Amino acid sequence: MFLDLNVVWPTNQLEQSELRNTLRLLKQFNYNGVAINNIVNTKAANSKNPIQIINMDLTTISKDKSSKSQQSTSEIITLLSQPRILSNHQFHQYTRITVLLEDSDNSNFSLDAAQKNYDIIALRPTSEKTFQAACSRADVDIISLDFSTRLPFYLRHQTLGLAIQRGVFFEI
Protein backbone atom coordinates (compact mmCIF):
# COMPACT_ATOMS: atom_id res chain seq x y z
CA MET A 1 0.00 0.00 0.00
CA PHE A 2 1.42 3.36 -1.04
CA LEU A 3 0.28 6.64 0.51
CA ASP A 4 1.63 10.17 0.19
CA LEU A 5 0.85 11.82 3.52
CA ASN A 6 2.07 15.31 2.70
CA VAL A 7 0.47 16.84 -0.39
CA VAL A 8 0.29 20.54 0.51
CA TRP A 9 -3.07 22.27 0.17
CA PRO A 10 -2.74 25.10 -2.37
CA THR A 11 -3.27 28.74 -1.51
CA ASN A 12 -4.27 30.07 -4.93
CA GLN A 13 -6.21 29.00 -8.03
CA LEU A 14 -3.13 28.17 -10.13
CA GLU A 15 -1.90 25.77 -7.47
CA GLN A 16 -5.38 24.16 -7.40
CA SER A 17 -4.88 22.86 -10.96
CA GLU A 18 -1.39 21.65 -10.00
CA LEU A 19 -2.93 19.77 -7.08
CA ARG A 20 -5.37 18.03 -9.42
CA ASN A 21 -2.47 17.02 -11.70
CA THR A 22 -0.46 15.76 -8.71
CA LEU A 23 -3.38 13.61 -7.55
CA ARG A 24 -3.86 12.19 -11.05
CA LEU A 25 -0.16 11.34 -11.25
CA LEU A 26 -0.21 9.60 -7.86
CA LYS A 27 -3.26 7.59 -8.94
CA GLN A 28 -1.45 6.63 -12.16
CA PHE A 29 1.46 5.36 -10.05
CA ASN A 30 -1.05 3.15 -8.20
CA TYR A 31 -0.92 5.03 -4.91
CA ASN A 32 -3.78 4.00 -2.66
CA GLY A 33 -4.30 7.49 -1.31
CA VAL A 34 -3.04 10.86 -0.22
CA ALA A 35 -3.32 13.18 2.74
CA ILE A 36 -3.84 16.76 1.68
CA ASN A 37 -1.95 18.86 4.22
CA ASN A 38 -2.98 22.28 5.58
CA ILE A 39 -0.06 23.93 7.43
CA VAL A 40 -1.13 26.49 10.05
CA ASN A 41 0.06 28.14 13.26
CA THR A 42 -1.45 27.31 16.65
CA LYS A 43 -3.99 30.14 16.55
CA ALA A 44 -5.54 28.85 13.33
CA ALA A 45 -5.46 25.18 14.35
CA ASN A 46 -9.10 25.09 15.43
CA SER A 47 -10.45 27.05 12.46
CA LYS A 48 -12.61 25.58 9.71
CA ASN A 49 -11.03 22.97 7.44
CA PRO A 50 -10.57 24.55 3.96
CA ILE A 51 -9.62 21.26 2.26
CA GLN A 52 -12.12 19.95 -0.27
CA ILE A 53 -12.05 16.49 -1.78
CA ILE A 54 -10.90 16.65 -5.41
CA ASN A 55 -12.99 14.86 -8.02
CA MET A 56 -10.78 12.15 -9.48
CA ASP A 57 -13.02 11.09 -12.39
CA LEU A 58 -10.38 10.38 -15.03
CA THR A 59 -12.89 9.66 -17.77
CA THR A 60 -13.81 13.34 -18.01
CA ILE A 61 -11.05 15.74 -18.88
CA SER A 62 -11.93 19.39 -18.50
CA LYS A 63 -10.13 22.03 -20.48
CA ASP A 64 -8.14 24.07 -18.01
CA LYS A 65 -8.08 27.77 -18.96
CA SER A 66 -4.76 28.27 -17.20
CA SER A 67 -2.95 25.55 -19.13
CA LYS A 68 -0.73 26.80 -21.90
CA SER A 69 -0.91 23.70 -24.09
CA GLN A 70 -4.16 22.23 -25.38
CA GLN A 71 -4.40 18.47 -25.78
CA SER A 72 -5.70 17.15 -29.06
CA THR A 73 -8.53 14.63 -29.16
CA SER A 74 -6.16 11.86 -30.23
CA GLU A 75 -3.87 12.59 -27.24
CA ILE A 76 -6.82 12.38 -24.87
CA ILE A 77 -7.99 9.08 -26.40
CA THR A 78 -4.45 7.70 -26.11
CA LEU A 79 -4.25 8.90 -22.51
CA LEU A 80 -7.58 7.30 -21.60
CA SER A 81 -6.74 4.01 -23.31
CA GLN A 82 -3.79 3.35 -21.01
CA PRO A 83 -4.82 0.71 -18.45
CA ARG A 84 -2.73 2.10 -15.59
CA ILE A 85 -4.55 5.41 -15.68
CA LEU A 86 -8.01 3.89 -15.75
CA SER A 87 -7.36 1.34 -13.05
CA ASN A 88 -10.34 1.16 -10.75
CA HIS A 89 -8.39 0.69 -7.53
CA GLN A 90 -9.56 2.64 -4.51
CA PHE A 91 -7.93 6.05 -4.19
CA HIS A 92 -8.55 7.62 -0.79
CA GLN A 93 -8.15 11.28 0.04
CA TYR A 94 -7.49 12.19 3.66
CA THR A 95 -7.26 15.61 5.26
CA ARG A 96 -4.28 16.53 7.39
CA ILE A 97 -3.36 19.56 9.47
CA THR A 98 0.19 20.38 10.50
CA VAL A 99 0.34 22.85 13.38
CA LEU A 100 3.54 24.86 13.84
CA LEU A 101 4.25 25.09 17.57
CA GLU A 102 6.04 28.27 18.58
CA ASP A 103 7.64 29.04 21.96
CA SER A 104 5.27 31.93 22.52
CA ASP A 105 2.24 29.64 22.16
CA ASN A 106 0.42 28.59 25.27
CA SER A 107 1.68 25.21 26.46
CA ASN A 108 -1.94 24.14 27.02
CA PHE A 109 -2.90 24.29 23.35
CA SER A 110 -6.05 22.41 22.38
CA LEU A 111 -6.66 20.58 19.14
CA ASP A 112 -10.23 19.47 19.86
CA ALA A 113 -11.81 21.17 16.84
CA ALA A 114 -8.96 20.08 14.58
CA GLN A 115 -9.47 16.46 15.60
CA LYS A 116 -13.09 16.66 14.48
CA ASN A 117 -12.28 18.39 11.17
CA TYR A 118 -9.18 16.48 9.99
CA ASP A 119 -8.27 12.83 9.53
CA ILE A 120 -4.59 13.23 10.52
CA ILE A 121 -3.15 15.66 13.09
CA ALA A 122 0.55 16.58 12.96
CA LEU A 123 2.65 18.95 15.07
CA ARG A 124 5.89 20.64 14.05
CA PRO A 125 7.73 21.81 17.18
CA THR A 126 10.17 24.71 16.89
CA SER A 127 11.88 24.49 20.30
CA GLU A 128 12.86 21.91 22.88
CA LYS A 129 9.97 22.98 25.12
CA THR A 130 7.39 22.47 22.37
CA PHE A 131 9.06 19.21 21.29
CA GLN A 132 8.78 17.83 24.84
CA ALA A 133 5.13 18.91 25.01
CA ALA A 134 4.39 17.25 21.67
CA CYS A 135 6.10 14.00 22.69
CA SER A 136 4.74 13.75 26.22
CA ARG A 137 1.13 14.93 26.15
CA ALA A 138 -0.15 16.11 22.75
CA ASP A 139 -2.90 13.96 21.27
CA VAL A 140 -1.55 13.79 17.69
CA ASP A 141 -0.77 11.20 15.03
CA ILE A 142 2.53 12.59 13.70
CA ILE A 143 5.35 14.77 15.00
CA SER A 144 6.93 16.44 11.98
CA LEU A 145 10.58 17.46 12.15
CA ASP A 146 11.96 19.87 9.56
CA PHE A 147 15.54 18.85 8.82
CA SER A 148 15.93 21.34 5.98
CA THR A 149 17.42 23.63 8.64
CA ARG A 150 19.26 22.73 11.78
CA LEU A 151 16.95 21.93 14.68
CA PRO A 152 17.32 24.38 17.58
CA PHE A 153 17.19 21.46 20.02
CA TYR A 154 18.61 17.98 20.47
CA LEU A 155 16.57 14.83 19.97
CA ARG A 156 16.83 12.93 23.25
CA HIS A 157 16.18 9.20 23.36
CA GLN A 158 13.98 9.48 26.46
CA THR A 159 11.75 12.14 24.90
CA LEU A 160 11.44 10.20 21.63
CA GLY A 161 10.58 7.08 23.62
CA LEU A 162 7.63 8.84 25.27
CA ALA A 163 6.06 9.55 21.89
CA ILE A 164 6.78 6.08 20.53
CA GLN A 165 5.17 4.45 23.58
CA ARG A 166 2.05 6.54 22.96
CA GLY A 167 1.89 5.39 19.32
CA VAL A 168 2.95 8.69 17.75
CA PHE A 169 4.83 8.54 14.44
CA PHE A 170 7.68 10.79 13.36
CA GLU A 171 8.01 12.46 9.97
CA ILE A 172 11.33 13.76 8.75
Side-chain angles (χ1 to χ4, degrees):
M1 176 182 283
F2 294 105
L3 296 170
D4 186 341
L5 296 178
N6 194 7
V7 176
V8 178
W9 178 250
T11 56
N12 61 40
Q13 194 63 27
L14 181 61
E15 291 176 351
Q16 287 277 351
S17 63
E18 291 176 17
L19 174 65
R20 185 177 303 278
N21 292 337
T22 300
L23 295 181
R24 283 186 181 144
L25 182 66
L26 291 172
K27 185 169 172 83
Q28 288 175 9
F29 289 149
N30 288 325
Y31 274 66
N32 297 88
V34 298
I36 302 173
N37 190 9
N38 185 21
I39 302 172
V40 298
N41 61 19
T42 308
K43 293 173 185 158
N46 289 318
S47 62
K48 186 177 180 281
N49 180 357
I51 299 173
Q52 302 165 356
I53 300 301
I54 306 296
N55 182 9
M56 292 300 296
D57 184 14
L58 294 176
T59 60
T60 60
I61 296 180
S62 62
K63 292 184 180 178
D64 188 7
K65 295 178 183 174
S66 65
S67 77
K68 294 178 183 172
S69 64
Q70 296 292 330
Q71 291 180 329
S72 69
T73 306
S74 62
E75 290 177 71
I76 294 173
I77 291 171
T78 304
L79 182 71
L80 292 175
S81 66
Q82 296 175 0
R84 289 183 69 197
I85 294 173
L86 291 176
S87 66
N88 290 327
H89 74 278
Q90 286 277 345
F91 187 78
H92 300 282
Q93 294 181 42
Y94 302 99
T95 58
R96 170 183 163 170
I97 186 170
T98 300
V99 180
L100 303 175
L101 287 179
E102 303 285 335
D103 261 339
S104 61
D105 294 336
N106 187 353
S107 61
N108 295 326
F109 57 89
S110 174
L111 297 172
D112 294 337
Q115 290 174 343
K116 294 175 187 170
N117 294 329
Y118 293 90
D119 298 316
I120 301 171
I121 309 293
L123 292 180
R124 182 172 291 163
T126 58
S127 69
E128 186 166 5
K129 180 180 173 183
T130 57
F131 179 67
Q132 287 177 349
C135 289
S136 63
R137 63 180 179 269
D139 188 18
V140 297
D141 303 304
I142 299 172
I143 296 175
S144 177
L145 301 172
D146 183 9
F147 285 117
S148 64
T149 60
R150 183 178 173 170
L151 290 176
F153 55 91
Y154 293 107
L155 299 176
R156 303 197 189 287
H157 180 62
Q158 184 179 11
T159 309
L160 293 169
L162 288 172
I164 293 169
Q165 285 177 345
R166 294 178 42 242
V168 176
F169 293 92
F170 288 91
E171 172 185 67
I172 55 172

